[in-house]
Amino acid sequence: MKAALVGTDGTLLHEARRATDRERGADAVVETILAFAADLRAHGEEHLGESAVAAGVAVPGIVDAEKGIAVYAANLGWRDVPLRALLGERLGVPVALGHDVRTGGLAEGRIGAGRGSDRFLFVPLGTGIAGAIGIAGAIEAGAHGDAGEIGHIVVRPDGPDCSCGQRGCLETLASAAAVTRAWAAASGDPAADAADCAKAVESGDPAAVRVWQGAVDALAAGLVTALTLLDPGTLIIGGGLAEAGETLFTPLRAAVEERITFQKLPHIVPAALGDTAGCLGAGLLAWDLLSTEVSA
């Protein structure tokens, strides 16, 4: 878990990290979150001279932000956790709940790589691939809270099976996990990962180049579908795979440009906030909540 005390302008005032203790079960994870938030508030009182006035929390899985419920998270083992109410009781302040990727996208769009862009798409490339659609400084969640799931656009109908039940989804071909699998097989080294593949590409290894270009081509195909639907001004790429820098971005920009016809090519840029995006975004959710309450 990553947490922060965040100022009104999105400035990170204090940052802390703590293990989720997920091996102890779902209830222990929830209690760890509550205790972490209380400790963070106490730190602000002691070291910054004032208490936090609102809290934001971003969690993975399925989230009902409107009702404040963490509906389901396979990795954390929980179902239907009323997280907003539990945090509100523990902290005594208003609480906003958000989805981790959309919350990270909010921060990247508002104070990170998408600053100043009215329409952006944030796509983190990690174990899977997700997306956050930014419109006028806010994130579009969709009618059922599922907007932005770009990782499940089918780009190769005859491709690998996906955990969602389809075949050839983008994340089965272009996520960091997909590159790791492909490079481990191609290199014959079961311990090799996506970062190793990127290094091999940089050294000119032809097998690595084939694996890498295959992932880039699949990613470009999925992104062009997203561009056709959303027409963003800025496309922000984050997550572990983006750490390869221009080894990723140079061929990716070329592959996207090659595929577009009538679509306008957006600025394709790396994420700027790294793994602090989620907690900064949670802080922005909290400030937005206060602004809404004041205007109401």
Side-chain angles (χ1 to χ4, degrees):
M1 297 187 296
K2 295 175 284 290
L5 293 168
V6 180
T8 52
D9 59 354
T11 301
L12 193 151
L13 304 173
H14 169 72
E15 185 183 7
R17 296 170 186 244
R18 192 171 293 183
T20 57
D21 289 337
R22 66 181 180 179
E23 66 280 355
R24 292 169 50 213
D27 291 343
V29 172
V30 173
E31 179 52 40
T32 302
I33 292 170
L34 300 179
F36 197 8
D39 290 348
L40 200 66
R41 179 188 59 184
H43 180 93
E45 291 170 344
E46 182 178 350
H47 297 281
L48 299 176
E50 58 183 317
S51 181
V53 292
V57 58
V59 298
I62 301 171
V63 178
D64 187 334
E66 192 172 321
K67 294 181 180 176
I69 296 173
V71 178
Y72 175 69
N75 289 341
L76 300 178
W78 66 30
R79 285 184 181 274
D80 298 321
V81 178
L83 203 51
R84 185 173 65 195
L86 293 171
L87 271 169
E89 289 169 12
R90 181 69 65 96
L91 300 176
V93 298
V95 176
L97 176 68
H99 181 271
D100 59 347
V101 171
R102 288 196 288 269
T103 302
L106 176 67
E108 281 290 353
R110 200 178 293 180
I111 60 176
R115 184 197 291 263
S117 180
D118 190 51
R119 298 286 191 280
F120 68 88
L121 178 63
F122 170 58
V123 180
L125 309 173
T127 303
I129 297 178
I133 302 164
I135 302 172
I139 300 297
E140 172 56 49
H144 307 97
D146 296 328
E149 289 290 351
I150 184 177
H152 296 289
I153 290 176
V154 174
V155 293
R156 303 283 187 267
D158 57 348
D161 290 336
C162 181
S163 59
C164 78
Q166 300 186 111
R167 292 187 65 186
C169 287
L170 180 60
E171 72 174 40
T172 68
L173 297 159
S175 63
V179 174
T180 291
R181 286 192 299 271
W183 179 233
S187 66
D189 179 1
D193 62 13
D196 297 323
C197 185
K199 290 173 188 170
V201 169
E202 290 159 12
S203 67
D205 185 310
V209 170
R210 282 194 298 273
V211 167
W212 194 258
Q213 193 60 48
V216 167
D217 287 345
L219 180 57
L223 291 175
V224 169
T225 298
L227 301 184
T228 305
L229 290 170
L230 302 172
D231 187 28
T234 304
L235 176 55
I236 306 165
I237 307 293
L241 216 56
E243 293 174 10
E246 287 306 313
T247 301
L248 173 68
F249 283 92
T250 296
L252 179 61
R253 291 185 184 109
V256 171
E257 187 166 11
E258 192 177 277
R259 283 167 172 75
I260 61 172
T261 53
F262 66 89
Q263 304 92 336
K264 296 294 188 292
L265 185 68
H267 298 292
I268 302 176
V269 299
L273 302 176
D275 68 357
T276 63
C279 53
L280 286 170
L284 293 175
L285 285 180
W287 285 116
D288 286 355
L289 182 63
L290 288 177
S291 300
T292 301
E293 289 185 348
V294 168
S295 61

CSV table of all heavy atoms in Angstrom, one decimal, residues 144-174:
chain,number,residue,atom,x,y,z
A,144,HIS,N,-21.7,1.5,-15.7
A,144,HIS,CA,-21.6,0.4,-14.7
A,144,HIS,C,-20.2,0.4,-14.0
A,144,HIS,O,-19.9,-0.6,-13.4
A,144,HIS,CB,-21.9,-0.9,-15.4
A,144,HIS,CG,-23.2,-0.9,-16.2
A,144,HIS,ND1,-23.2,-0.7,-17.5
A,144,HIS,CD2,-24.4,-1.1,-15.8
A,144,HIS,CE1,-24.5,-0.8,-17.9
A,144,HIS,NE2,-25.2,-1.0,-16.9
A,145,GLY,N,-19.5,1.5,-14.2
A,145,GLY,CA,-18.1,1.5,-13.5
A,145,GLY,C,-17.1,0.7,-14.2
A,145,GLY,O,-16.0,0.5,-13.7
A,146,ASP,N,-17.3,0.4,-15.5
A,146,ASP,CA,-16.3,-0.5,-16.2
A,146,ASP,C,-15.6,0.2,-17.4
A,146,ASP,O,-15.0,-0.5,-18.2
A,146,ASP,CB,-17.0,-1.8,-16.7
A,146,ASP,CG,-17.5,-2.6,-15.6
A,146,ASP,OD1,-16.9,-2.6,-14.5
A,146,ASP,OD2,-18.6,-3.3,-15.7
A,147,ALA,N,-15.8,1.5,-17.5
A,147,ALA,CA,-15.2,2.2,-18.7
A,147,ALA,C,-13.7,2.1,-18.6
A,147,ALA,O,-13.1,2.2,-17.6
A,147,ALA,CB,-15.7,3.6,-18.7
A,148,GLY,N,-13.1,2.1,-19.8
A,148,GLY,CA,-11.6,2.1,-19.9
A,148,GLY,C,-10.9,0.8,-19.9
A,148,GLY,O,-9.7,0.7,-19.9
A,149,GLU,N,-11.7,-0.4,-19.9
A,149,GLU,CA,-11.0,-1.7,-19.8
A,149,GLU,C,-10.4,-2.1,-21.2
A,149,GLU,O,-10.8,-3.0,-21.8
A,149,GLU,CB,-12.0,-2.7,-19.4
A,149,GLU,CG,-12.4,-2.6,-17.9
A,149,GLU,CD,-11.2,-3.0,-17.0
A,149,GLU,OE1,-10.2,-3.5,-17.5
A,149,GLU,OE2,-11.3,-2.7,-15.8
A,150,ILE,N,-9.5,-1.3,-21.6
A,150,ILE,CA,-8.9,-1.4,-22.9
A,150,ILE,C,-8.1,-2.8,-23.0
A,150,ILE,O,-8.0,-3.3,-24.1
A,150,ILE,CB,-7.9,-0.2,-23.2
A,150,ILE,CG1,-7.4,-0.4,-24.7
A,150,ILE,CG2,-6.8,-0.2,-22.2
A,150,ILE,CD1,-6.5,0.8,-25.0
A,151,GLY,N,-7.7,-3.3,-21.9
A,151,GLY,CA,-6.9,-4.6,-21.9
A,151,GLY,C,-7.8,-5.7,-22.5
A,151,GLY,O,-7.2,-6.8,-22.9
A,152,HIS,N,-9.1,-5.6,-22.5
A,152,HIS,CA,-10.0,-6.6,-23.0
A,152,HIS,C,-10.6,-6.3,-24.4
A,152,HIS,O,-11.6,-6.9,-24.8
A,152,HIS,CB,-11.0,-7.0,-22.0
A,152,HIS,CG,-10.4,-7.5,-20.7
A,152,HIS,ND1,-9.8,-8.8,-20.7
A,152,HIS,CD2,-10.1,-6.9,-19.5
A,152,HIS,CE1,-9.3,-8.9,-19.5
A,152,HIS,NE2,-9.5,-7.9,-18.8
A,153,ILE,N,-9.9,-5.4,-25.1
A,153,ILE,CA,-10.2,-5.3,-26.5
A,153,ILE,C,-9.5,-6.5,-27.2
A,153,ILE,O,-8.4,-6.8,-27.0
A,153,ILE,CB,-9.6,-4.0,-27.1
A,153,ILE,CG1,-10.4,-2.8,-26.6
A,153,ILE,CG2,-9.6,-4.0,-28.6
A,153,ILE,CD1,-9.8,-1.4,-27.0
A,154,VAL,N,-10.3,-7.2,-28.1
A,154,VAL,CA,-9.7,-8.3,-28.8
A,154,VAL,C,-8.9,-7.8,-30.0
A,154,VAL,O,-9.5,-7.2,-30.9
A,154,VAL,CB,-10.8,-9.3,-29.2
A,154,VAL,CG1,-10.2,-10.4,-30.1
A,154,VAL,CG2,-11.5,-9.9,-28.0
A,155,VAL,N,-7.6,-8.1,-30.0
A,155,VAL,CA,-6.8,-7.6,-31.1
A,155,VAL,C,-6.3,-8.8,-32.0
A,155,VAL,O,-5.9,-8.6,-33.1
A,155,VAL,CB,-5.6,-6.8,-30.6
A,155,VAL,CG1,-6.1,-5.5,-30.0
A,155,VAL,CG2,-4.8,-7.6,-29.6
A,156,ARG,N,-6.4,-10.0,-31.5
A,156,ARG,CA,-6.0,-11.2,-32.2
A,156,ARG,C,-7.1,-12.3,-31.9
A,156,ARG,O,-6.9,-13.0,-30.9
A,156,ARG,CB,-4.6,-11.7,-31.8
A,156,ARG,CG,-3.5,-10.7,-32.0
A,156,ARG,CD,-3.1,-10.5,-33.4
A,156,ARG,NE,-1.9,-9.7,-33.5
A,156,ARG,CZ,-1.9,-8.4,-33.7
A,156,ARG,NH1,-3.1,-7.8,-33.8
A,156,ARG,NH2,-0.8,-7.7,-33.8
A,157,PRO,N,-8.1,-12.4,-32.7
A,157,PRO,CA,-9.2,-13.3,-32.4
A,157,PRO,C,-8.8,-14.8,-32.2
A,157,PRO,O,-9.4,-15.5,-31.5
A,157,PRO,CB,-10.2,-13.2,-33.6
A,157,PRO,CG,-9.9,-11.8,-34.1
A,157,PRO,CD,-8.4,-11.6,-33.9
A,158,ASP,N,-7.7,-15.1,-32.8
A,158,ASP,CA,-7.1,-16.5,-32.6
A,158,ASP,C,-6.0,-16.6,-31.6
A,158,ASP,O,-5.3,-17.5,-31.6
A,158,ASP,CB,-6.6,-17.1,-34.0
A,158,ASP,CG,-5.6,-16.2,-34.6
A,158,ASP,OD1,-5.4,-15.0,-34.1
A,158,ASP,OD2,-4.9,-16.6,-35.6
A,159,GLY,N,-5.9,-15.5,-30.8
A,159,GLY,CA,-4.8,-15.4,-29.8
A,159,GLY,C,-5.0,-16.3,-28.6
A,159,GLY,O,-5.9,-17.1,-28.5
A,160,PRO,N,-4.2,-16.0,-27.6
A,160,PRO,CA,-4.2,-16.8,-26.3
A,160,PRO,C,-5.5,-16.6,-25.6
A,160,PRO,O,-6.2,-15.5,-25.7
A,160,PRO,CB,-3.0,-16.2,-25.5
A,160,PRO,CG,-2.2,-15.4,-26.5
A,160,PRO,CD,-3.1,-15.0,-27.6
A,161,ASP,N,-5.9,-17.6,-24.8
A,161,ASP,CA,-7.1,-17.5,-23.9
A,161,ASP,C,-6.8,-16.4,-22.9
A,161,ASP,O,-5.7,-16.3,-22.3
A,161,ASP,CB,-7.4,-18.8,-23.2
A,161,ASP,CG,-7.9,-19.9,-24.2
A,161,ASP,OD1,-8.4,-19.5,-25.2
A,161,ASP,OD2,-7.7,-21.1,-23.9
A,162,CYS,N,-7.9,-15.6,-22.6
A,162,CYS,CA,-7.8,-14.6,-21.5
A,162,CYS,C,-8.6,-15.0,-20.3
A,162,CYS,O,-9.6,-15.7,-20.5
A,162,CYS,CB,-8.3,-13.3,-22.1
A,162,CYS,SG,-8.2,-11.9,-20.9
A,163,SER,N,-8.3,-14.5,-19.2
A,163,SER,CA,-9.0,-14.9,-18.0
A,163,SER,C,-10.4,-14.3,-18.0
A,163,SER,O,-11.3,-14.8,-17.3
A,163,SER,CB,-8.3,-14.3,-16.7
A,163,SER,OG,-8.2,-12.9,-16.8
A,164,CYS,N,-10.7,-13.4,-18.9
A,164,CYS,CA,-12.1,-12.8,-19.0
A,164,CYS,C,-13.0,-13.7,-19.8
A,164,CYS,O,-14.2,-13.5,-19.8
A,164,CYS,CB,-12.0,-11.4,-19.6
A,164,CYS,SG,-11.9,-11.4,-21.4
A,165,GLY,N,-12.5,-14.8,-20.4
A,165,GLY,CA,-13.3,-15.7,-21.2
A,165,GLY,C,-13.2,-15.5,-22.7
A,165,GLY,O,-13.6,-16.3,-23.5
A,166,GLN,N,-12.5,-14.4,-23.2
A,166,GLN,CA,-12.3,-14.2,-24.6
A,166,GLN,C,-10.9,-14.7,-25.0
A,166,GLN,O,-10.2,-15.2,-24.2
A,166,GLN,CB,-12.4,-12.7,-24.9
A,166,GLN,CG,-13.7,-12.0,-24.6
A,166,GLN,CD,-13.8,-10.6,-25.0
A,166,GLN,OE1,-14.5,-10.3,-25.9
A,166,GLN,NE2,-13.0,-9.7,-24.4
A,167,ARG,N,-10.6,-14.6,-26.3
A,167,ARG,CA,-9.3,-15.0,-26.8
A,167,ARG,C,-8.7,-13.8,-27.5
A,167,ARG,O,-9.4,-13.0,-28.1
A,167,ARG,CB,-9.4,-16.1,-27.8
A,167,ARG,CG,-9.8,-17.4,-27.2
A,167,ARG,CD,-9.7,-18.5,-28.3
A,167,ARG,NE,-8.3,-18.8,-28.7
A,167,ARG,CZ,-8.0,-19.6,-29.7
A,167,ARG,NH1,-8.9,-20.3,-30.4
A,167,ARG,NH2,-6.7,-19.8,-30.0
A,168,GLY,N,-7.4,-13.7,-27.3
A,168,GLY,CA,-6.6,-12.6,-28.0
A,168,GLY,C,-6.8,-11.2,-27.5
A,168,GLY,O,-6.7,-10.2,-28.2
A,169,CYS,N,-7.2,-11.1,-26.2
A,169,CYS,CA,-7.3,-9.8,-25.6
A,169,CYS,C,-6.0,-9.1,-25.6
A,169,CYS,O,-4.9,-9.7,-25.5
A,169,CYS,CB,-7.8,-9.8,-24.2
A,169,CYS,SG,-9.6,-10.3,-24.1
A,170,LEU,N,-6.0,-7.7,-25.6
A,170,LEU,CA,-4.8,-7.0,-25.7
A,170,LEU,C,-3.8,-7.3,-24.6
A,170,LEU,O,-2.6,-7.5,-24.8
A,170,LEU,CB,-5.1,-5.5,-25.6
A,170,LEU,CG,-4.0,-4.5,-25.7
A,170,LEU,CD1,-3.2,-4.6,-26.9
A,170,LEU,CD2,-4.5,-3.0,-25.5
A,171,GLU,N,-4.3,-7.5,-23.4
A,171,GLU,CA,-3.4,-7.8,-22.2
A,171,GLU,C,-2.8,-9.2,-22.3
A,171,GLU,O,-1.7,-9.4,-21.6
A,171,GLU,CB,-4.1,-7.5,-20.9
A,171,GLU,CG,-5.1,-8.5,-20.4
A,171,GLU,CD,-5.6,-8.3,-19.0
A,171,GLU,OE1,-5.8,-7.1,-18.6
A,171,GLU,OE2,-5.7,-9.2,-18.3
A,172,THR,N,-3.3,-10.1,-23.1
A,172,THR,CA,-2.6,-11.4,-23.2
A,172,THR,C,-1.4,-11.3,-24.2
A,172,THR,O,-0.7,-12.3,-24.3
A,172,THR,CB,-3.6,-12.5,-23.8
A,172,THR,OG1,-3.9,-12.1,-25.1
A,172,THR,CG2,-4.9,-12.5,-22.9
A,173,LEU,N,-1.3,-10.2,-24.9
A,173,LEU,CA,-0.3,-10.0,-25.9
A,173,LEU,C,0.7,-8.9,-25.6
A,173,LEU,O,1.9,-8.9,-26.1
A,173,LEU,CB,-0.9,-9.8,-27.3
A,173,LEU,CG,-1.8,-11.0,-27.7
A,173,LEU,CD1,-2.8,-10.5,-28.8
A,173,LEU,CD2,-0.9,-12.1,-28.3
A,174,ALA,N,0.3,-7.9,-24.9
A,174,ALA,CA,1.1,-6.7,-24.8
A,174,ALA,C,1.4,-6.2,-23.4
A,174,ALA,O,2.0,-5.1,-23.2
A,174,ALA,CB,0.5,-5.5,-25.6
